Amino acid sequence: FNHSCVPNCEHSWDDAKFQERVYTSRSVKAGEELCVYYIDVVAPRAERAQALQEMHQISCRCPACTSASDEKLSDARRSQMQ
């Protein structure tokens, strides 16, 4: 699974079976890439970018990170998710 700040999958750990489970969190079209989050997705865009670079040496290209929309407004909406 690749990372996205707007993932279409959620993951959880099943202690009883000692395995990770992954579920889609919205409808997924045939051929669409399945993505989970690697970092705290409610953090501001700049913090997410820094964390991904430091921990995974990647740059996120998801819609939340590449959108031309107002970054401060996006960060404010994400902060309300906490």
Side-chain angles (χ1 to χ4, degrees):
F1 295 92
N2 283 322
H3 165 81
S4 175
C5 295
V6 285
N8 55 14
C9 294
E10 296 285 330
H11 49 97
S12 64
W13 183 255
D14 184 333
D15 283 328
K17 295 188 178 181
F18 202 69
Q19 62 185 208
E20 183 174 27
R21 295 180 179 247
V22 179
Y23 304 91
T24 58
S25 54
R26 63 170 175 79
S27 295
V28 177
K29 296 177 184 175
E32 183 179 352
E33 180 179 30
L34 299 177
C35 295
V36 295
Y37 55 87
Y38 295 173
I39 54 155
D40 178 8
V41 295
V42 298
R45 187 183 300 185
E47 288 180 26
R48 295 192 316 266
Q50 181 178 357
L52 284 168
Q53 188 60 47
E54 290 175 358
M55 295 188 310
H56 302 284
Q57 293 76 48
I58 61 172
S59 297
C60 187
R61 291 181 176 80
C62 77
C65 292
T66 59
S67 171
S69 68
D70 183 354
E71 183 175 339
K72 288 183 181 182
L73 181 59
S74 175
D75 288 348
R77 285 192 305 261
R78 284 179 180 270
S79 71
Q80 293 175 354
M81 294 168 57
Q82 296 180 352

